[in-house]
Amino acid sequence: MIEALSFDFVQHAIMAGILVSFAAGIIGSLIVVNRMVFLAGGIAHTSYGGIGLAVYFGLPIFLGASLFAVGAALLIAVLTMKNRHRIDTFIGLIWAVGMAIGVIFVDLTPGYNVDLMSYLFGSILAVNTEDLYFMGGLLAVILFVITFGYRHILAVSYDSEYAALRGVNVRFYYTLILILSALTVVVAIKVVGLILVIAMLTIPVYIAEKLSSSLFSMMLLSGTLATLFTLVGLWFSYTYNLTSGASIILVSAAFLGLFLIFYRGKTL
């Protein structure tokens, strides 16, 4: 594995894994505490509509998926702002429609025969410099938002009604969380694919939640754990010639299993 570090694609994969893992750890924590885990899968599958549109119109895949995912997040925000208990219904609807749009536009693209499996199961080894800039920019935006809006995000996440009484713009921060979640899901698709993205956003967060006493420490620990799982998964993928996305998720699941055994044994 040491000699592999001399290859640009491996260096890009490691940098992408670190950037996306910390973004997923932070946003995954917000998704979990806001009880919107289904949202991650919904936006991931909805973004396939953006992939289909990008393929049809000859646009960059990341751009198409990002714009479509943000549009879906804004639509979800409008529909569920005052009816959060119905968010699963709207996500399920948008999930199906987005996938259908993607499939139709890919079918309509003349002569397009590129394998779309990389978008389903990830293609971290195919990350290029432009992708890294996008991932780094997204992580910078997330860190900026968390740094300067942490208290308001905390209030909105745990008690939006109380936050509104305190003068917090609940609509703004709720929408902001959804938009950042959508963009994080899009970059995570590059690492593990849209089918496995839910696991990347929730497994490290579940472990961190059990070991943390605050949302901030939960974000930090889940980002660290996600990075560890990603790097170990990449090592397995490279060593045994396995699919990188699936390897990362199986490593995460193995760590989760060990944690549950240890944690339950400790609490008995």
Side-chain angles (χ1 to χ4, degrees), residues 69-70 73-74 138 174-184:
V70 169
L74 291 173
L138 175 61
Y174 177 66
T175 304
L176 183 61
I177 291 172
L178 288 176
I179 291 174
L180 292 178
S181 299
L183 292 174
T184 301

Side-chain angles (χ1 to χ4, degrees), residues 20-58:
V20 173
S21 293
F22 271 100
I26 295 171
I27 296 302
S29 299
L30 294 178
I31 289 175
V32 169
V33 299
N34 280 279
R35 298 179 179 87
M36 298 187 300
V37 174
F38 191 41
L39 170 76
I43 290 180
H45 287 75
T46 301
S47 67
Y48 192 78
I51 293 173
L53 287 169
V55 169
Y56 183 79
F57 291 105

Side-chain angles (χ1 to χ4, degrees), residues 5-265:
L5 296 176
S6 61
F7 298 119
D8 287 342
F9 73 91
V10 175
Q11 296 173 9
H12 288 173
I14 292 174
M15 288 187 284
I18 294 173
L19 292 172
V20 173
S21 293
F22 271 100
I26 295 171
I27 296 302
S29 299
L30 294 178
I31 289 175
V32 169
V33 299
N34 280 279
R35 298 179 179 87
M36 298 187 300
V37 174
F38 191 41
L39 170 76
I43 290 180
H45 287 75
T46 301
S47 67
Y48 192 78
I51 293 173
L53 287 169
V55 169
Y56 183 79
F57 291 105
L59 300 173
I61 299 295
F62 246 164
L63 176 63
S66 298
L67 292 177
F68 207 85
V70 169
L74 291 173
L75 180 60
I76 291 172
V78 171
L79 294 175
T80 65
M81 181 64 225
K82 296 183 179 180
N83 297 286
R84 291 200 195 183
H85 61 285
R86 300 304 302 274
I87 191 172
D88 57 337
T89 303
F90 293 114
I91 290 174
L93 175 62
I94 293 174
W95 177 324
V97 172
M99 285 289 292
I101 290 174
V103 171
I104 292 299
F105 273 96
V106 169
D107 287 343
L108 292 175
T109 304
Y112 188 79
N113 58 2
V114 175
D115 184 15
L116 291 175
M117 290 292 286
S118 62
Y119 300 109
L120 298 179
F121 298 102
S123 57
I124 191 173
L125 295 179
V127 169
N128 55 39
T129 305
E130 289 73 20
D131 295 335
L132 290 176
Y133 285 142
F134 185 91
M135 295 170 181
L138 175 61
L139 180 58
V141 170
I142 291 173
L143 292 175
F144 177 83
V145 170
I146 295 300
T147 300
F148 294 99
Y150 177 75
R151 291 186 178 181
H152 290 163
I153 291 175
L154 181 67
V156 171
S157 297
Y158 284 101
D159 194 337
S160 58
E161 293 182 0
Y162 176 73
L165 293 174
R166 292 293 301 272
V168 177
N169 190 336
V170 175
R171 179 182 295 273
F172 171 77
Y173 283 100
Y174 177 66
T175 304
L176 183 61
I177 291 172
L178 288 176
I179 291 174
L180 292 178
S181 299
L183 292 174
T184 301
V185 165
V186 169
V187 296
I189 287 175
K190 194 71 175 179
V191 177
V192 296
L194 62 85
I195 292 179
L196 306 174
V197 70
I198 295 180
M200 185 176 192
L201 290 166
T202 54
I203 292 177
V205 174
Y206 179 86
I207 298 174
E209 186 180 25
K210 300 296 183 182
L211 303 174
S212 304
S213 57
S214 67
L215 179 60
F216 179 79
S217 60
M218 180 177 166
M219 290 176 175
L220 184 61
L221 182 56
S222 59
T224 303
L225 289 173
T227 301
L228 173 64
F229 300 158
T230 299
L231 294 179
V232 175
L234 281 175
W235 178 82
F236 269 101
S237 172
Y238 181 83
T239 303
Y240 298 103
N241 193 27
L242 302 172
T243 302
S244 56
S247 299
I248 291 169
I249 297 305
L250 285 179
V251 167
S252 302
F255 271 94
L256 175 60
L258 292 174
F259 171 78
L260 291 175
I261 294 173
F262 175 78
Y263 186 78
R264 287 184 177 181

